[in-house]
Amino acid sequence: MQIVTKIAELKQKIREARARGNTIGVVPTMGYLHEGHLTLMRRARSEQGFVIATLFVNPLQFGPTEDYAVYPRDLSRDSALAETTGIDVLFAPSVDEMYPAGNGRTLTFVDVEKITTFLCGASRPGHFRGVATVVTKLFNITEADVAYFGQKDAQQVAVIRRMVADLNMNVKIVPVPIVRESDGLALSSRNQFLSPAQRQAGLVLFRSLTRARNLLEAGERDSAVIFSAMNELIRQEPLAELDYIAIVDTQTLEPLKQISGDALVALAARFGKTRLIDNLLWEGK
Ligand code: AMP
């Protein structure tokens, strides 16, 4: 595995890989890798000829009061972990390489409307504009044929899919199921900010999703009933400050009153300063 920090050098490697007849698979990440990221990389490795993981903490997608400055960064740790997956290149550009005008400054943005205003978009204004813009840049830089995204960030998957469809981008999006700790907590680079008590409290997210799944499996289709059951559990956890619980269409992210087919059950809560998200993709029968 090679670590590449310059766009021009990456382009050269992509030209060579294409000349050898390879498809290009890309796994965008912000680093501080965990088993969730590594699962995406292994999947890409097993399906594509030339695999690039990108590692870039994108200033554009963080709000002014968010954790950009303290977001965990450790290139030597990340490169050792990424190497174990057999990917070809870890692309780890500087902020100036990605935004030559300075700290996330650009005059051009990709703005996916409407679906970015629900769920996480409501409490993180500008976040998905930053995500869509940097992912577009990364698709252009890497010339991705296929890009792998975790279902953990379900809204991100919906936004990127919509962007790719609306702008006729030549990339296939592959969603990968959520990877969890053995007790159910979804893996996240932000979990390391949690105190032991907050880590324990964070399990309430998975518990409330499990409650939702049990209700759905028992035939419940009224979103209000499922919402109340989840909300009750979260309210019983004093260290959890609920941001949202949403039961929505998997593509449009519009709220569903009744669940008749597929549905996304998603939630976000703060544990101290750390905001965690989790979700359940219900495949309607
Ligand atoms: P991040 O570094 O947090 O931006 O995540 C990079 C990619 O890894 C995104 O596509 C995430 O959805 C995905 N990812 C993060 N955590 C998990 C997880 N627990 N399971 C599956 N994918 C994940």
Side-chain angles (χ1 to χ4, degrees), residues 155-177:
Q155 187 171 17
Q156 176 169 275
V157 171
V159 169
I160 299 294
R161 279 185 149 154
R162 187 61 200 245
M163 172 185 90
V164 165
D166 284 354
L167 298 181
N168 307 90
M169 293 180 170
N170 286 320
V171 54
K172 180 180 166 208
I173 304 303
V174 175
V176 178

Side-chain angles (χ1 to χ4, degrees), residues 44-77:
R45 174 70 291 164
S46 71
E47 295 179 356
Q48 308 304 326
F50 191 75
V51 179
I52 304 165
T54 70
L55 193 168
F56 182 60
V57 185
N58 173 36
L60 209 59
Q61 70 191 66
F62 288 79
T65 62
E66 292 184 348
D67 53 358
Y68 175 69
V70 297
Y71 197 85
R73 295 162 170 89
D74 189 339
L75 181 59
S76 61
R77 174 186 177 280

Side-chain angles (χ1 to χ4, degrees), residues 28-30 34 36-37 40 71 149-150 152-153 156 177-179 187:
T29 84
M30 296 202 301
H34 53 62
H37 300 115
L40 301 187
Y71 197 85
F149 288 88
K152 154 105 182 325
D153 299 272
Q156 176 169 275
I178 300 175
V179 179
L187 293 181

